[in-house]
Amino acid sequence: MVKKWNNSQVQFPSYLGFNYDSEKFVWQFSQSNQSWSWKINEQMVDKINAAGGYVRELEGEMGDKGKPFKTNGWTQNHFRTELMGLEILIPDNTEIDEQLEINIDLCATKPIALTILIHLGENSHLNFKNKIHFNGKFSNLSLCVNGALATGSGLDYTLVEDSPNLVKQTLIGDIQCQRDAHCNLNLFPEVHGDLLGDLRIYLAKTGSGGEINFGCYGQPNDWVGVQGMIEHDAPDTFSRINMRSVLYKNSKVNFTSIGKINHGAHGANADQESRIMTIEEAKGSVNPALIIDENDVKAGHAASVSQYDEDELYYLLSRGLSTVVAKQILIDNFMNPILKKMN
Amino acid sequence: MAKLVIKNLRVAVAGDLILNGVDLEINDGEIHALMGPNGTGKSTLSETIMGNPRYQICDGQIILNDMDITELMVDERARAGIFLAMQYPTEVAGISNADFIHAALNAQNDGKSVPVLPFLKELEEKMSFLEIAEDYADRGLNADFSGGEKKRNEILQMMMLKPKLAILDEIDSGLDIDALKIVAKGINAMRGRNFSCLMVTHYQRLLNYVIPDVVHVMMDGKIIKTGGAELAKQLEKTGYGNLN
Ligand SMILES: Nc1ncnc2c1ncn2[C@@H]1O[C@H](COP(=O)(O)OP(=O)(O)OP(=O)(O)O)[C@@H](O)[C@H]1O
Ligand SMILES: [Mg+2]
């Protein structure tokens, strides 16, 4: 059974007039449990259970669980429907020192929507690596990652995907941080098709911080539109957005990154960097924006769309490396700041 | 064999003619010094021999061991045995020093992988010879190296790649006295029939440690005087003004 909700009711979010072609993306709901499976390290389950938390499949209507996520119309609508996916709860004062690794296999031939819901209790920390492997012939995934981070908690969420086939994907991230809570979103989705993304971190209370690291390779004919926004709504908050992409022939990538500092968020520190490396005739654009309604802040951005650095290429060639090898080194070099975060 | 012959080389950069008929011959095993005032074309000559695409050859020939390399691409020249230690080595943080040198050796070896263990052993020996700390092997290529460290790293690459002709563009600039001695030790260790060298320098102090067989003076894109090691010493006293 596939339910589609009426797209005309809730537009895909657009900021500052940067509109993404959301028409080719429809948020999909497939309720067939055979279309996906997940694996988790049993020891980690034991550890989380022992601490009084859980990792379990989402079932049925979400009721109030969607309440913390108010920033995004899509997310709100999403939570009114029956959800499929995983819910992770880590209670207060729990330090999970090992990395939680969950591997999700998608064998869907039909579109599928998955939700990953993470609740972190006060002063708890979680390092969560989520791998998604697409098996289906044509994969159409809507992935929604939501996190509610209580006071003093910390989340490292890393998404890595791979697919041998074409993928059409909508990626929504929506994280809320309470006092002194910190969130790092490290996302390396598979493109290989079309990708529409909206990633948000909302810094609700003093001392909270967020980081979005996003990287992707645009293969020939791929289309990517991703916007990342970190909203500072309290004093002494900290944000970083770092997006990078390498584009091959005919691919198109648009990045919008937004640091939003609301009135009263004095002492906020926002910085963003979006860089695209184009190869052959690929097209890319980066739209960095700072929306600041407060005086006492530190904010900056850097953006670029460019080809290889000629001097770097020359240096590598001058040691005898072939052009192919030298260019690959420069591509890896360019992606290195993001790949480092994926460990 | 390591013989370089340059005939009547004219080179333009960004539309301006910079080299205006350079003739130069370096025989097997010889070390030559190239001196001259700022902006006279020494780096231009170095880059042109290496094949930097920014420099357009308008006329003339570059011949290495009887092979005309004037038309070869940069990487082809490197594989033919030319090495340029650059005045300002580039940083590429995303590849480690060791991996980069290994990749360069593989390229020399027709793209086939050079066995790793002997490679690492030799790398370790050469690094210790040049007094480069071990952890620099795993650091990004020249990434956040100080000016002097970059120069020393160029010499490490030269010693690992064993070129037929090395061009060292101001390898002595920015080096402290100890580092200068170490770099000189590296160059002297390469001396032999299969290695020739062109050192661009402004100072006699390098030439005290690496004694050149021939010294050239370049002015306005031409070599205007050639002599022995004593020519550099004389320049130190008189400067370039008295040469014309
Ligand atoms: N890429 C370039 N674009 C424009 N002009 C250049 C370029 N490279 C060199 N030139 C010009 O060519 C002339 C020679 O420069 P070159 O770097 O060869 O001098 P040099 O003899 O090495 O000087 P120095 O002793 O200061 O290193 C200079 O006038 C310089 O401005
Ligand atoms: Mg120079």
Side-chain angles (χ1 to χ4, degrees):
Chain A
M1 178 183 71
V2 177
K3 276 197 283 184
K4 286 184 187 177
W5 102 60
N6 184 350
N7 243 29
S8 61
Q9 278 179 354
V10 183
Q11 290 286 320
F12 186 80
S14 72
Y15 307 113
L16 301 176
F18 304 133
N19 278 307
Y20 290 90
D21 177 12
S22 56
E23 269 165 27
K24 49 180 164 178
F25 299 90
V26 178
W27 190 267
Q28 305 283 0
F29 295 89
S30 161
Q31 303 302 124
S32 156
N33 282 332
Q34 273 114 47
S35 56
W36 69 293
S37 63
W38 56 290
K39 278 196 216 86
I40 178 173
N41 176 345
E42 288 301 324
Q43 278 171 323
M44 284 301 286
V45 177
D46 292 345
K47 269 191 185 177
I48 291 171
N49 289 345
Y54 57 75
V55 179
R56 66 187 180 202
E57 282 189 30
L58 285 168
E59 268 179 76
E61 301 280 341
M62 294 306 297
D64 285 343
K65 280 185 178 149
K67 255 196 173 163
F69 310 108
K70 292 203 182 85
T71 49
N72 182 328
W74 273 50
T75 319
Q76 284 178 41
N77 253 19
H78 177 53
F79 276 96
R80 282 187 211 117
T81 63
E82 281 189 23
L83 299 184
M84 206 165 64
L86 295 172
E87 182 173 18
I88 297 160
L89 180 125
I90 309 290
D92 291 350
N93 304 311
T94 308
E95 195 81 41
I96 307 281
D97 43 13
E98 256 177 276
Q99 187 175 57
L100 169 68
E101 195 169 318
I102 297 183
N103 295 323
I104 294 177
D105 269 310
L106 298 180
C107 28
T109 45
K110 285 182 187 157
I112 182 168
L114 283 181
T115 300
I116 309 282
L117 190 52
I118 304 162
H119 311 272
L120 271 192
E122 289 186 9
N123 306 315
S124 292
H125 288 88
L126 179 67
N127 182 350
F128 174 15
K129 186 163 193 173
N130 194 183
K131 286 190 189 164
I132 296 186
H133 177 66
F134 296 83
N135 284 322
K137 267 209 163 158
F138 177 85
S139 304
N140 190 331
L141 173 70
S142 299
L143 178 67
C144 194
V145 180
N146 290 280
L149 275 58
T151 300
S153 65
L155 172 67
D156 254 292
Y157 174 81
T158 302
L159 174 72
V160 181
E161 297 179 341
D162 73 287
S163 171
N165 300 308
L166 279 177
V167 176
K168 183 175 277 206
Q169 187 168 190
T170 308
L171 183 60
I172 303 269
D174 196 338
I175 311 282
Q176 313 275 320
C177 293
Q178 299 302 320
R179 195 184 168 95
D180 297 325
H182 285 262
C183 174
N184 292 335
L185 286 183
N186 306 315
L187 309 165
F188 214 97
E190 173 79 33
V191 179
H192 204 180
D194 300 314
L195 171 72
L196 184 67
D198 179 41
L199 313 165
R200 299 195 185 199
I201 299 178
Y202 178 63
L203 305 174
K205 293 279 153 63
T206 306
S208 56
E211 200 176 296
I212 297 172
N213 297 299
F214 181 95
C216 67
Y217 291 103
Q219 305 297 335
N221 302 317
D222 285 351
W223 185 94
V224 175
V226 172
Q227 46 200 5
M229 172 157 108
I230 302 184
E231 183 173 354
H232 297 247
D233 205 19
D236 302 321
T237 40
F238 176 91
S239 75
R240 292 288 178 269
I241 301 178
N242 195 356
M243 300 197 195
R244 279 184 189 232
S245 180
V246 175
L247 308 196
Y248 296 87
K249 225 180 191 153
N250 301 333
S251 58
K252 279 193 187 143
V253 169
N254 303 285
F255 283 155
T256 299
S257 52
I258 298 166
K260 185 165 187 286
I261 302 178
N262 295 341
H263 189 68
H266 50 83
N269 181 328
D271 201 70
Q272 37 183 290
E273 191 177 331
S274 331
R275 298 197 188 279
I276 289 178
M277 180 188 256
T278 55
I279 292 164
E280 294 144 356
E281 301 122 59
K283 288 205 180 91
S285 70
V286 287
N287 310 304
L290 289 161
I291 308 170
I292 303 177
D293 186 20
E294 176 59 53
N295 292 323
D296 170 29
V297 298
K298 255 176 94 173
H301 61 70
S304 61
V305 178
S306 59
Q307 299 199 327
Y308 303 101
D309 182 308
E310 294 290 335
D311 291 335
E312 291 176 1
L313 185 62
Y314 169 61
Y315 188 75
L316 300 182
L317 293 175
S318 80
R319 300 304 185 240
L321 302 186
S322 67
T323 311
V324 174
V325 172
K327 286 188 173 176
Q328 190 56 50
I329 288 173
L330 293 182
I331 288 169
D332 295 345
N333 179 56
F334 175 81
M335 274 306 209
N336 191 45
I338 301 287
L339 290 174
K340 255 189 337 211
K341 307 277 183 181
M342 308 295 152
N343 53 44
Chain B
M1 226 183 123
K3 183 180 163 79
L4 177 78
V5 177
I6 291 177
K7 292 182 192 160
N8 188 34
L9 191 64
R10 289 167 192 275
V11 173
V13 191
D16 292 339
L17 197 67
I18 306 291
L19 296 188
N20 201 0
V22 172
D23 292 292
L24 177 68
E25 203 167 315
I26 304 180
N27 289 308
D28 298 342
E30 284 179 356
I31 294 187
H32 289 214
L34 178 63
M35 306 183 79
N38 294 132
T40 51
K42 303 179 297 299
S43 293
T44 302
L45 177 63
S46 307
E47 297 286 354
T48 306
I49 299 171
M50 189 71 250
N52 187 332
R54 276 181 218 243
Y55 298 81
Q56 299 120 32
I57 298 179
C58 308
D59 198 8
Q61 270 183 311
I62 306 171
I63 296 155
L64 181 72
N65 289 344
D66 300 329
M67 176 164 86
D68 188 336
I69 62 165
T70 319
E71 304 278 320
L72 293 189
M73 305 298 285
V74 186
D75 55 322
E76 294 168 328
R77 293 186 197 206
R79 294 195 294 272
I82 292 183
F83 178 93
L84 170 61
M86 295 188 194
Q87 191 167 358
Y88 306 104
T90 312
E91 299 189 13
V92 185
I95 183 167
S96 78
N97 233 348
D99 285 345
F100 173 63
I101 297 174
H102 192 233
L105 284 168
N106 293 343
Q108 241 180 26
N109 193 32
D110 285 332
K112 292 188 289 278
S113 182
V114 168
V116 175
L117 285 180
F119 158 73
L120 286 176
K121 188 164 171 282
E122 188 184 350
L123 183 67
E124 204 181 296
E125 282 166 13
K126 301 260 152 82
M127 285 177 71
S128 115
F129 181 77
L130 294 171
E131 299 177 33
I132 300 173
E134 267 176 49
D135 63 313
Y136 279 62
D138 297 323
R139 276 177 62 171
L141 174 59
N142 291 329
D144 302 320
F145 285 25
S146 76
E149 286 170 345
K150 283 181 186 162
K151 298 288 179 152
R152 221 187 285 199
N153 203 34
E154 296 284 280
I155 296 297
L156 174 65
Q157 291 178 36
M158 176 185 79
M159 292 186 80
M160 292 298 292
L161 293 173
K162 304 179 187 68
K164 297 191 176 85
L165 170 73
I167 307 153
L168 311 176
D169 193 356
E170 295 197 27
I171 196 71
D172 52 340
S173 73
L175 293 183
D176 66 46
I177 295 157
D178 294 337
L180 181 71
K181 285 185 190 165
I182 290 166
V183 160
K185 188 171 80 162
I187 302 166
N188 285 325
M190 294 292 294
R191 271 193 194 266
R193 267 191 58 77
N194 291 318
F195 177 76
S196 59
C197 183
L198 180 66
M199 294 190 303
V200 176
T201 184
H202 287 294
Y203 305 107
Q204 173 61 33
R205 57 171 207 164
L206 173 66
L207 306 182
N208 288 335
Y209 297 107
V210 184
I211 295 161
D213 301 298
V214 181
V215 174
H216 306 276
V217 178
M218 179 178 266
M219 272 200 199
D220 298 329
K222 269 189 154 159
I223 289 174
I224 57 145
K225 199 168 171 82
T226 294
E230 72 291 340
L231 174 57
K233 288 184 181 147
Q234 178 202 327
L235 287 171
E236 181 107 314
K237 294 197 189 97
T238 58
Y240 296 110
N242 296 332
L243 283 175
N244 322 35

